[in-house]
Amino acid sequence: MKKPSAWEAWKLLLLSLPKGIGAFLFAVIGLSVGIAASAVIIGLPLLAFVLIVCRRMMESEYGLTSAWMNGKQPADAPMADHGGPAREQRGLRSLLAVLADRRSYRGIVYCLLQLPAGVVCFTLAIVVPAVALAVTLSPAARMIVNGQFEYELFADGWLFEFIGRTFGLTPYEQSWIVGGFGLLLVLLVPAAVRMLGRFYAAWISGLAGPESEAATVHVPASLAAPGLSGMATSELPHDAEPASSSLPLEPDRLESRIAADTLRS
């Protein structure tokens, strides 16, 4: 299985906040208007519409996180059965089926909780690389602060004073040591981002529930089986005839053409 991409995980974490804001606003406004209008007939269809849209947003995010976990591109995300309980029903039965479906209410929970989860994921996705890069640039930061503001950046503080007294290191040398640790952090950033992505994928999978895997559309086994071409003739339907290859006919056609050319000559 292909290793999950840190770049794709970083994009998932960054996009979790705008998705969370949009999902939260839609769920709150839709539920408020739908519950307020539930005394009228139009309120129940509006609530059903909100439930369906929230469920589809949850399933879409679950498809993206599942594709990332499997090392696939977002375009290869598993397609869930968006029809839900109303796929084979119409009218009042369809409306009642949507309102009684527990996965629809999981979509509401996703839309309401995705906002705080998106804030946490977005913040960590920005802070982790920024801190690693800032620590790596410690020598440059010391030179700028010392030159522009005449302040020794690595001279104050009990830790830097202890290192200076114990090892006899100057603030300039300490800045390069800190920069070395920062370079190590930069090398560890992809692994940290992938770990955050796995936490986010587990969060989405927990909200979507085990039903999401059952709703995923898979390629039929009859089309994906590599040994289908070697199936015995007895296993084929009675009314089906084994396909004949066109390759044995080619020598016969060639001999006929040669005989015709000979008669003409």
Side-chain angles (χ1 to χ4, degrees):
M1 183 176 63
K2 186 179 178 181
K3 189 176 182 180
S5 171
W7 171 252
E8 295 295 334
W10 192 64
K11 290 194 297 184
L12 282 175
L13 296 173
L14 289 182
L15 293 177
S16 63
L17 180 57
K19 289 179 181 178
I21 295 175
F24 181 83
L25 292 177
F26 177 82
V28 170
I29 296 174
L31 289 177
S32 301
V33 177
I35 294 175
S38 59
V40 193
I41 300 178
I42 195 176
L44 293 180
L46 182 58
L47 284 176
F49 172 75
V50 173
L51 291 175
I52 292 174
V53 174
C54 291
R55 172 178 172 169
R56 292 191 177 185
M57 286 191 290
M58 179 188 67
E59 291 177 344
S60 175
E61 192 67 10
Y62 173 77
L64 293 176
T65 54
S66 299
W68 173 77
M69 287 290 292
N70 295 326
K72 300 178 181 178
Q73 296 296 326
D76 300 329
M79 298 170 56
D81 184 9
H82 294 313
R87 183 176 182 179
E88 302 296 338
Q89 304 175 16
R90 296 293 184 271
L92 181 60
R93 294 181 58 187
S94 173
L95 177 62
L96 295 178
V98 172
L99 295 177
D101 183 28
R102 62 178 183 178
R103 281 183 51 76
S104 300
Y105 296 96
R106 286 188 178 184
I108 294 293
V109 175
Y110 160 78
C111 291
L112 295 179
L113 298 183
Q114 180 64 13
L115 178 58
V119 170
V120 174
C121 293
F122 180 86
T123 303
L124 292 177
I126 294 296
V127 169
V128 170
V131 169
L133 183 61
V135 175
T136 305
L137 298 177
S138 295
R142 177 200 168 273
M143 293 176 59
I144 294 175
V145 172
N146 190 19
Q148 297 294 330
F149 304 99
E150 297 181 356
Y151 176 77
E152 194 58 62
L153 193 60
F154 292 89
D156 297 333
W158 66 269
L159 179 60
F160 296 118
E161 292 178 357
F162 173 77
I163 294 176
R165 290 195 306 266
T166 305
F167 302 100
L169 298 177
T170 63
Y172 174 75
E173 295 172 341
Q174 295 183 38
S175 66
W176 281 100
I177 295 176
V178 174
F181 282 109
L183 181 59
L184 179 61
L185 292 177
V186 169
L187 297 177
L188 295 177
V189 164
V193 172
R194 277 194 291 266
M195 182 182 66
L196 294 175
R198 291 188 180 94
F199 279 116
Y200 179 71
W203 150 258
I204 298 298
S205 178
L207 282 180
E211 295 89 347
S212 296
E213 297 181 0
T216 303
V217 177
H218 298 283
V219 179
S222 60
L223 298 180
L228 182 61
S229 59
M231 184 181 299
T233 308
S234 59
E235 299 178 2
L236 296 175
H238 295 290
D239 56 346
E241 297 180 1
S244 59
S245 175
S246 60
L247 294 178
L249 299 179
E250 294 297 329
D252 297 336
R253 295 177 181 176
L254 182 59
E255 293 176 1
S256 300
R257 292 179 181 178
I258 294 175
D261 293 341
T262 304
L263 292 177
R264 290 177 184 176
S265 61

